[in-house]
Amino acid sequence: MLADIYGCPVSTVQSAEGGAALGVAILAGVGAGEYASVEEACDALVREKETHLPNMEAHRTYEGYYALHKKLYLDLYDDYKTIARLTENQG
């Protein structure tokens, strides 16, 4: 689904530790000088599990929904602020 939304291949990674722990290990390795860059650390530590290719027909559909979402957000922005103010005063 993410590949369809983004319109590009999306890969999942193998990680027994979980994504956040792996990210911390990558940054720690760079910070400690074990790797020269985040890219080098990723090349050494990250292993792809599988890659999902996008369905471009679905992507075009998602693009339409996203365009509508952006329009509605901008149109309703001030109303969201009003709702927030009204609900703050409800003790």
Side-chain angles (χ1 to χ4, degrees), residues 13-28 45-46:
V13 297
Q14 296 176 357
S15 174
E17 303 83 26
L22 181 58
V24 168
I26 289 168
L27 296 176
L45 300 173
V46 176

Side-chain angles (χ1 to χ4, degrees), residues 20-74:
L22 181 58
V24 168
I26 289 168
L27 296 176
V30 174
E34 186 69 27
Y35 301 101
S37 67
V38 171
E39 183 177 304
E40 181 184 321
C42 287
D43 289 343
L45 300 173
V46 176
R47 301 288 174 255
E48 287 186 13
K49 184 176 181 181
E50 61 184 319
T51 298
H52 303 273
L53 300 177
N55 172 329
M56 294 310 287
E57 184 176 331
H59 174 68
R60 285 185 289 280
T61 299
Y62 284 120
E63 282 184 317
Y65 283 109
Y66 182 58
L68 177 59
H69 166 77
K70 288 191 303 185
K71 180 190 177 310
L72 289 171
Y73 179 82
L74 293 174

Side-chain angles (χ1 to χ4, degrees), residues 68-86:
L68 177 59
H69 166 77
K70 288 191 303 185
K71 180 190 177 310
L72 289 171
Y73 179 82
L74 293 174
D75 290 348
L76 296 172
Y77 184 80
D78 290 333
D79 295 327
Y80 290 141
K81 288 200 269 186
T82 300
I83 290 170
R85 279 194 305 273
L86 289 170

